Amino acid sequence: MASIKVLVAHSNVQNIDDALAKLTKLNSKQGPFDALFMLGDLHNSIKEIHTDGLPPTFYPSYNDDVTNTSTDLENHVTLLNNFGIYQLATGLKVVYTPHNFKQLDDRKELILQKLEMFNEKVDILISHIGGSKHSKEAGRNSGSDIIDAILRKVEPKYHFSYNDQLKYYENAPFQWKKSGRITRCMNIPVFGSKEKWAYAVLIELDDNESAYEVPPNIGSNPFEESKQNKRGREAKYTTDIKVNPFTKETQMKKPKIVLPNQCHFCFTNPNIEDHMFISINKNSYLTTAKGPLSVPKDEMPFSGHCLIIPIKHIPKISQSKTQEELLELNKELNDYELSIARMNFIKYDMSTIVFEISSSTSFHFHKQVIPVPKYLIFNFSSALDRQLYFNNEKFKLNGNLNFKQYTVGSSEYNDIVNDKNIEYMQFKVYETSEEQPIVYLSTFLTGEKIDLQFGRRVIAYVLRYPKRIMWNSPTCQQTKEQEIEDVKKFQSGYKNYDISN
């Protein structure tokens, strides 16, 4: 029985030299390894790395040539391009897909068509994005159904993903009933995260899968869940809704009605704080936030926390009277959003998070936009997972939230946000202003109790500002003079990006 010693590691461009030095030392002390799989956004720098002292090195890489499946470089690195299956000289079989969410969505049909031609099981699956089922089991918010389909087809012994750059996590191993194979799924964080960024494993090249020893910590296979368990989960979900025992009707608390002349976002309110306005357009306007979460930092001399608000008094934009009105308003809100993300990134070298709640019980829809230093933006996934735990496990009265990632503009995403009957909470994470944002969205039931401060709690943890969670806390309060000065500085920085000009 042949055994293959494999090393899997994750690094970015900035730390690649230090990471390679440690891997070389690891190969010398604990090797030699038969293969090294390098993960991460290394781009063209992979062509320039020095591989002296390293085992044969393989790098999953994305490019525009979908027919190009592997390339051998002069520095003894093999690029595993796009999506495919590769067999090493040792006999180790690997399936790889380095696509991010948008790339997966763009090439979904091509990937699934190619997957149909795979007729063999493999030793390793490497994917940028984790599968949706084991990501959910690990308490994470990201995952892809496409990766689930690949897992079902190839039943890898090991599945390595690397979307979460900050946290190492590993699911309980599970067994495939028909083949007897054991699969282990884990996320490998980046070098410098202070977590387990390199993983060494001895893989047995054994075709007699039924002979695999079942580990003591074996878990249930999420892909072979019984119908009884599914029904049990559905029943548990539906019984969370309160029902009148006499009439058998669902009981929902009536939402408070706020008229436009009482709404602090409406122009017809005589007490509206218009000294906080930054920009006014045809259908919406931009204002600084009361009790801002973020604070002036580095080259940004103002807090940067702002709100994008429709002028019309509506609880959700999908309730616009006509399709034309919906499209026009949605475009303007998104133009504002992107213009602020561009200002934050280009002028102040900052990332951006946008948070919104679309609910029929809201009094006036709005988006909250908050700048985040680039070195902190990677805290978002762990911050969201942390707050989800508190929301779903500790505070049982709150509606249960389950965030999934979507691609902006995809049919699945549009079907949710444009449906006036669907309630949702959403984050958009702009790491840069040049790429599409990463969208995290959770739907919830009408009438469920939702923590309106959920988004602020998450972003406060990202920014490491625990004392600024509540907008009306003494820490966050500004005088009117400070608010006016904040607006002036914001307008000065925003003038070349303002869509109302």
Side-chain angles (χ1 to χ4, degrees):
M1 182 189 300
S3 299
I4 305 298
K5 203 169 185 179
V6 174
L7 187 59
V8 181
H10 182 186
S11 177
N12 55 26
V13 174
Q14 292 80 6
N15 296 323
I16 185 62
D17 291 337
D18 291 338
L20 290 176
K22 289 187 177 294
L23 292 172
T24 301
K25 186 179 292 186
L26 187 64
N27 188 48
S28 174
K29 289 186 175 182
Q30 299 184 23
F33 289 90
D34 297 294
L36 165 65
F37 291 93
M38 283 299 304
L39 315 178
D41 297 324
L42 299 176
H43 308 295
N44 289 328
S45 65
I46 193 68
K47 300 176 182 179
E48 301 169 0
I49 68 170
H50 299 289
T51 56
D52 296 341
L54 293 175
T57 302
F58 302 85
Y59 174 64
S61 172
Y62 174 88
N63 62 36
D64 294 329
D65 184 0
V66 296
T67 63
N68 186 359
T69 56
S70 65
T71 306
D72 293 324
L73 303 178
E74 293 181 359
N75 60 349
H76 305 293
V77 174
T78 299
L79 299 182
L80 304 177
N81 298 314
N82 303 312
F83 172 65
I85 186 168
Y86 185 89
Q87 183 167 343
L88 280 64
T90 57
L92 188 80
K93 295 175 184 175
V94 182
V95 166
Y96 51 89
T97 169
H99 306 77
N100 60 29
F101 278 99
K102 183 178 185 305
Q103 293 160 353
L104 274 176
D105 190 65
D106 289 344
R107 295 188 179 178
K108 178 177 180 178
E109 290 187 11
L110 182 64
I111 290 172
L112 295 179
Q113 287 174 5
K114 195 169 184 179
L115 182 63
E116 284 299 312
M117 296 186 290
F118 290 2
N119 295 314
E120 52 189 332
K121 310 305 182 186
V122 302
D123 300 295
I124 293 176
L125 166 62
I126 294 177
S127 65
H128 187 169
I129 307 301
S132 65
K133 288 188 179 293
H134 67 257
S135 293
K136 183 178 179 180
E137 281 196 349
R140 322 311 281 189
N141 51 68
S142 57
S144 168
D145 293 340
I146 300 174
I147 303 302
D148 286 349
I150 297 172
L151 273 160
R152 286 192 190 94
K153 184 75 172 181
V154 302
E155 298 181 3
K157 297 171 186 174
Y158 287 87
H159 175 203
F160 299 99
S161 59
Y162 52 101
N163 185 44
D164 189 333
Q165 299 204 32
L166 297 179
K167 292 292 180 183
Y168 172 86
Y169 55 89
E170 181 174 352
N171 296 76
F174 60 87
Q175 188 171 35
W176 300 92
K177 186 175 181 180
K178 187 174 181 179
S179 67
R181 292 174 71 96
I182 304 294
T183 293
R184 293 170 171 84
C185 301
M186 60 209 69
N187 180 83
I188 308 297
V190 73
F191 173 78
S193 63
K194 298 183 180 179
E195 298 257 345
K196 187 175 181 179
W197 64 278
Y199 190 98
V201 60
L202 187 67
I203 298 180
E204 307 285 354
L205 299 185
D206 179 18
D207 293 331
N208 184 14
E209 308 298 353
S210 62
Y212 280 9
E213 182 180 352
V214 177
N217 63 332
I218 192 77
S220 61
N221 187 329
F223 302 97
E224 297 176 349
E225 191 172 24
S226 69
K227 293 181 180 179
Q228 183 178 0
N229 286 343
K230 288 182 179 179
R231 285 198 299 270
R233 269 213 323 274
E234 290 169 0
K236 179 179 183 300
Y237 179 70
T238 55
T239 53
D240 288 339
I241 302 174
K242 294 182 179 180
V243 177
N244 186 307
F246 301 104
T247 65
K248 304 300 181 184
E249 293 178 350
T250 302
Q251 294 177 320
M252 293 183 182
K253 185 178 179 181
K254 291 183 179 180
K256 179 182 178 181
I257 297 176
V258 178
L259 299 175
N261 63 353
Q262 301 168 322
C263 173
H264 53 258
F265 290 156
C266 282
F267 291 176
T268 53
N269 183 347
N271 298 316
I272 191 169
E273 300 195 67
D274 53 6
H275 68 278
M276 301 178 72
F277 289 1
I278 300 167
S279 168
I280 302 176
N281 214 332
K282 179 182 177 181
N283 302 294
S284 59
Y285 68 99
L286 183 66
T287 176
T288 54
K290 197 79 173 174
L293 171 56
S294 50
V295 298
K297 192 172 183 67
D298 299 328
E299 295 182 1
M300 181 179 276
F302 50 95
S303 77
H305 184 177
C306 58
L307 308 182
I308 307 171
I309 307 172
I311 294 174
K312 188 175 181 179
H313 186 73
I314 51 174
K316 49 199 300 189
I317 59 175
S318 59
Q319 292 185 352
S320 300
K321 287 185 176 180
T322 66
Q323 182 69 10
E324 183 181 0
E325 185 180 297
L326 169 64
L327 293 174
E328 186 177 5
L329 175 58
N330 201 31
K331 181 180 185 306
E332 191 171 296
L333 295 175
N334 287 330
D335 286 348
Y336 258 134
E337 179 182 307
L338 182 57
S339 70
I340 299 164
R342 292 183 67 243
M343 176 192 71
N344 289 344
F345 185 74
I346 297 171
K347 191 175 181 68
Y348 300 112
D349 200 30
M350 304 271 271
S351 298
T352 302
I353 298 178
V354 183
F355 172 71
E356 66 187 67
I357 297 176
S358 180
S359 170
S360 55
T361 59
S362 297
F363 61 88
H364 197 134
F365 177 84
H366 61 281
K367 298 186 178 193
Q368 299 202 42
V369 186
I370 301 170
V372 177
K374 288 195 301 184
Y375 69 91
L376 292 177
I377 198 67
F378 296 114
N379 293 342
F380 179 80
S381 290
S382 59
L384 181 56
D385 289 331
R386 173 184 180 273
Q387 198 56 44
L388 275 175
Y389 171 76
F390 285 119
N391 184 84
N392 296 348
E393 302 298 331
K394 295 294 185 181
F395 301 103
K396 297 293 188 179
L397 293 178
N398 287 345
N400 198 278
L401 298 174
N402 178 25
F403 282 87
K404 296 181 180 180
Q405 289 196 13
Y406 295 89
T407 301
V408 172
S410 68
S411 58
E412 185 180 14
Y413 176 75
N414 288 339
D415 287 345
I416 294 174
V417 298
N418 293 331
D419 190 331
K420 64 181 180 181
N421 296 313
I422 293 180
E423 319 275 66
Y424 67 84
M425 182 184 294
Q426 172 181 267
F427 294 90
K428 288 183 184 176
V429 180
Y430 289 84
E431 294 180 12
T432 74
S433 62
E434 307 302 322
E435 301 175 348
Q436 287 274 23
I438 304 172
V439 176
Y440 301 80
L441 185 148
S442 174
T443 59
F444 54 88
L445 298 176
T446 302
E448 278 192 304
K449 182 181 179 181
I450 296 299
D451 178 10
L452 299 181
Q453 297 300 316
F454 183 90
R456 185 161 177 138
R457 296 182 203 279
V458 171
I459 303 170
Y461 190 76
V462 173
L463 292 170
R464 301 172 183 170
Y465 291 155
K467 294 183 179 181
R468 301 186 70 87
I469 289 177
M470 303 305 294
W471 70 271
N472 55 356
S473 70
T475 304
C476 298
Q477 289 305 291
Q478 295 175 306
T479 64
K480 185 173 182 178
E481 289 72 23
Q482 289 173 324
E483 290 172 341
I484 292 172
E485 186 63 25
D486 206 42
V487 169
K488 289 179 179 178
K489 291 178 179 179
F490 197 122
Q491 288 174 326
S492 176
Y494 184 57
K495 62 183 178 182
N496 292 331
Y497 303 90
D498 191 346
I499 66 169
S500 68
N501 291 338

